[in-house]
Amino acid sequence: MNPIKLQEILTDAIARLDTPTELPVVRKAYDNVKEVLRTYKSGVQKVLDSNSLLCIGVVGQMKAGKSSFLNSLLFDGDTVLPIAATPMTAGLTTLQYTTDENVLEICYYSKNDWEVIKNEANVYRELRNQLLEDNPQLRGKEKLIIAEMKNISTAAQQSSYELVENLTLEAGAKIGQDPMRVEFGDINDLQSMMKDLVGAGGKFTSVVSILHIYLNDARLKGLRIVDTPGVNDPVVSRETRTLEFLHECHGVFMLSRADHFFGDDDKCFMDERLSTVGISAILMIGSQFDLALRNPQYMEWDLKSAANDIRTSLNGIFQSRRQMLRPETSSAFCTCIFSSGMAQGVLTKLKKAFFDEQQASLDRDEAKFIEDLRSQYPSDFSNAISTERSLQLLADFGSIENVIINDFKKRKKTLIHQKLTNYFKEQENVLSQALNSACRKIESELDFVNSTDLNQLRSQVAILSNATDSMVAPLQIIIDSYSRKLQHRLENIEEHDLQAVRVDCKRVKSTSSSISYTRISTSFLSRKKNNYVYVDVVNRESTKEDQEQAMEKYRVTLDKKWRDMFIKFQEEMLQEMVKRTSQLGPSLANCTLTLTNILNTTFNVKLEGCETLKLVDKYNEHLNIMRSYVNQEDHTSLNNSFGKMSESDADEKVRKQSKEKLNNIISGLNSRDSAYMEELKGVARKRTKNVIDILSDFRDNIASSIQLSISSILEEKTAQLDNKQKTIDELQKGLECLNSIQTELQ
């Protein structure tokens, strides 16, 4: 469909869904579909408007180094974009070329946005108060309190609480205000303003939603850069804005820390976010590459060899994880580059000062960066020439600039066409699902109204209210039973599924190697003899590869089994509780809706996120432990100097040592594998306890929850049935409106 014609249809559909309606179910269905239509329309317009600029999004986890990377790419390493330490300081920023004066446009949270943030903060505060009431010994121990709160609150609640707690009176007055534009002279002026707006101690940090920077800087000609807060941004309104801006992007730089490279959150973001907005060019950047080089295992290496070794390993991870993505996401990758933004920033400053480190104005972090690398790789940072060469190797910004030119700028028209095609395809699917869901909900309500009269409803609710006590005990029994089932099912996973993928090192990969040794001959002259013998020694790379595959299989299995178990557990428990309620009598059939509402609150709010275990950090931690162990030189250092001995005896002695070394590696790996498996199971056990604790709280409050829900439903349904025909007409009108929109968009 022509984009202009499509926009007209979307505009008309949105207008029709603005029609007033007194029925909550119709209003909610309209609002849900309208939100999807607005997103669709906005995305189409932004894609069309962005034809004159190449728009590149910079995305990745919080603390992946996005701001540091852009500071090095655009601002010669100066900290113009503050490095986000917390979700509070992680703003959304756009950068664009202008021929006029430099301008900073500041957008504040709307009143509606702030109300959502306040509500989340209030929930956190209530949970915190309850925690301190139950554990008075925690009072005054803020670090312990924060650690405990992470177990019982969501990321959205935690970040919202931080925003509200740091709100100043001056900042509060900005909420709901129109965007403000301020001119600035140079980068120093911009830096000063940014500290107040998004710095950790800034006066307005809590209330700044988006910053637009318009710079008269030739490097930005033809470009628009969107620096996003993070793929795991817990601030809901800001995450929504991020998704809107991604609609404009022709491609993205996806940053993933080299020491925690390409985790599950990165994978989910690319599959669930980037493909839905039509992104067709992705440059994967293994950021903060210097951190991986500081691993003690490379103490005796030169910088180039260590960098090549790490790049080879990380490229293997990239290729492996890429295969797990949706085909349309995987095919969008241009390449994968491993880079240190810090190295580029330091290099720029040193060049300006002719490599006089005293005159280069390096900040504390940059000075320590150079000091640490020089300590580990002294010959690679011994003079100006070697330092420049080494920093270029770490930064690899030349490769990044080549991608911008060849894969983004030169392919601009192709990227725009691909974006439109991909975007329309994905949005058609999203809209179709939203319309089908809205229609089903109205149809269900229509069936209810057609089959029920007011007296019947009142009779049912009266019986239901009186039967609350008789309902509570059976439902509490179900909760207790399923809490035990959850525990038992985890034990079954540990005893059966995980046993099948245990990380057991039965043998290590080896290669034949020539070992030289000296001995004293047994002849009369007792001369010193030099000999050599071929023995098996550990093949480090193959052994690490085998171990990594086994460890990954164990992690993936546990994560999948837990997810499958949790979803099945949720569905079974809901079905059992609904079934048990319906057995109380046919007049109580409407309790199904009541019970569903209560359970949805428990499972969709309080247990949000419990379906995943987030094992990646533990996996990466033990992966590094394993690699470091296998790389130890002791595994191949054999005693090669013997006294008086025959050649055959000396050969046998070397072979025996080799065999012992291989057996020692197996033993060492097995002990580390056991620790790894136990830690991953520990995460699952802790998550199980969290779920059971939440269900226990639900069990204790189920009676009052049911009564409140019954009252709410009674009020809503009574209003509908007081004028049954009007309600039916309104529902049918809503259904016809949605069906007509669906037909027009096909």
Side-chain angles (χ1 to χ4, degrees), residues 226-505:
V226 180
D227 180 22
T228 66
V231 305
N232 50 345
D233 187 2
V235 181
V236 177
S237 60
R238 198 168 58 196
E239 184 187 33
T240 302
R241 303 286 191 282
T242 298
L243 193 58
E244 289 175 0
F245 275 100
L246 285 176
H247 284 304
E248 304 174 42
C249 294
H250 302 107
V252 299
F253 292 167
M254 179 75 197
L255 272 69
S256 181
R257 281 174 53 135
D259 56 344
H260 295 89
F261 187 59
F262 210 156
D264 285 342
D265 286 342
D266 292 337
K267 175 182 174 295
C268 290
F269 178 79
M270 284 187 278
D271 264 348
E272 296 172 12
R273 288 286 190 271
L274 296 187
S275 61
T276 62
V277 295
I279 298 295
S280 56
I282 304 172
L283 168 61
M284 190 76 173
I285 297 178
S287 60
Q288 302 181 36
F289 184 56
D290 54 281
L291 294 180
L293 282 158
R294 300 187 210 184
N295 192 311
Q297 75 182 69
Y298 296 110
M299 286 300 294
E300 302 300 324
W301 295 47
D302 64 86
L303 184 69
K304 185 176 181 180
S305 298
N308 288 340
D309 184 68
I310 296 169
R311 283 191 168 109
T312 299
S313 176
L314 293 178
N315 264 316
I317 294 173
F318 171 69
Q319 296 300 339
S320 173
R321 299 289 284 172
R322 181 178 178 178
Q323 302 305 314
M324 302 178 187
L325 296 169
R326 292 166 59 177
E328 55 268 41
T329 310
S330 179
S331 63
F333 280 106
C334 305
T335 187
C336 179
I337 296 171
F338 301 97
S339 171
S340 166
M342 176 78 80
Q344 182 65 24
V346 170
L347 176 60
T348 302
K349 289 184 178 181
L350 288 177
K351 279 185 174 181
K352 287 181 179 179
F354 302 101
F355 286 85
D356 184 338
E357 293 182 24
Q358 298 300 318
Q359 300 296 320
S361 300
L362 301 180
D363 63 31
R364 184 174 60 183
D365 291 337
E366 291 167 336
K368 189 174 187 312
F369 165 84
I370 280 286
E371 180 185 338
D372 288 347
L373 286 172
R374 181 172 287 129
S375 173
Q376 187 160 347
Y377 305 97
S379 62
D380 294 289
F381 293 88
S382 59
N383 53 47
I385 295 174
S386 63
T387 298
E388 180 176 10
R389 185 170 54 243
S390 297
L391 291 174
Q392 287 173 341
L393 172 70
L394 293 181
D396 203 10
F397 266 43
S399 298
I400 293 171
E401 288 167 0
N402 285 337
V403 171
I404 294 174
I405 293 169
N406 296 316
D407 292 275
F408 286 80
K409 287 186 174 180
K410 287 184 179 179
R411 295 180 58 229
K412 181 180 175 182
K413 289 183 179 179
T414 302
L415 291 178
I416 291 172
H417 176 73
Q418 287 177 340
K419 181 173 180 62
L420 283 168
T421 303
N422 295 345
Y423 178 70
F424 290 155
K425 179 181 176 182
E426 289 292 339
Q427 289 304 310
E428 284 169 8
N429 292 335
V430 171
L431 183 55
S432 177
Q433 291 172 10
L435 283 165
N436 289 335
S437 174
C439 288
R440 284 196 300 269
K441 288 176 181 176
I442 294 179
E443 288 167 351
S444 175
E445 194 72 9
L446 194 56
D447 289 343
F448 167 77
V449 175
N450 277 320
S451 62
T452 311
D453 60 39
L454 189 57
N455 289 332
Q456 182 184 5
L457 174 66
R458 286 173 176 160
S459 173
Q460 289 175 343
V461 173
I463 295 171
L464 184 59
S465 298
N466 294 331
T468 297
D469 290 341
S470 62
M471 289 168 53
V472 169
L475 297 181
Q476 288 178 333
I477 290 171
I478 293 170
I479 293 171
D480 291 340
S481 169
Y482 273 86
S483 293
R484 290 192 295 271
K485 280 185 180 180
L486 184 65
Q487 183 70 47
H488 180 64
R489 287 175 179 178
L490 177 61
E491 291 170 357
N492 279 341
I493 288 175
E494 291 184 9
E495 292 173 9
H496 299 99
D497 301 288
L498 294 184
Q499 289 299 322
V501 291
R502 281 186 61 83
V503 191
D504 286 328
C505 186

Side-chain angles (χ1 to χ4, degrees), residues 297 300 515 536-538 540 628-639 657-665 668 672:
Q297 75 182 69
E300 302 300 324
I515 303 295
D536 290 334
V537 296
V538 62
R540 287 189 170 87
S628 179
Y629 174 70
V630 174
N631 284 332
Q632 288 177 11
E633 291 299 324
D634 180 61
H635 297 318
T636 54
S637 61
L638 305 178
N639 180 17
Q657 285 185 68
S658 170
K659 188 174 181 180
E660 287 174 352
K661 292 285 185 180
L662 293 176
N663 288 335
N664 288 342
I665 296 175
R672 287 161 177 78

Side-chain angles (χ1 to χ4, degrees), residues 36-47:
V36 176
L37 288 169
R38 282 176 174 160
T39 301
Y40 194 178
K41 179 186 173 184
S42 172
V44 172
Q45 187 60 52
K46 286 178 178 177
V47 169

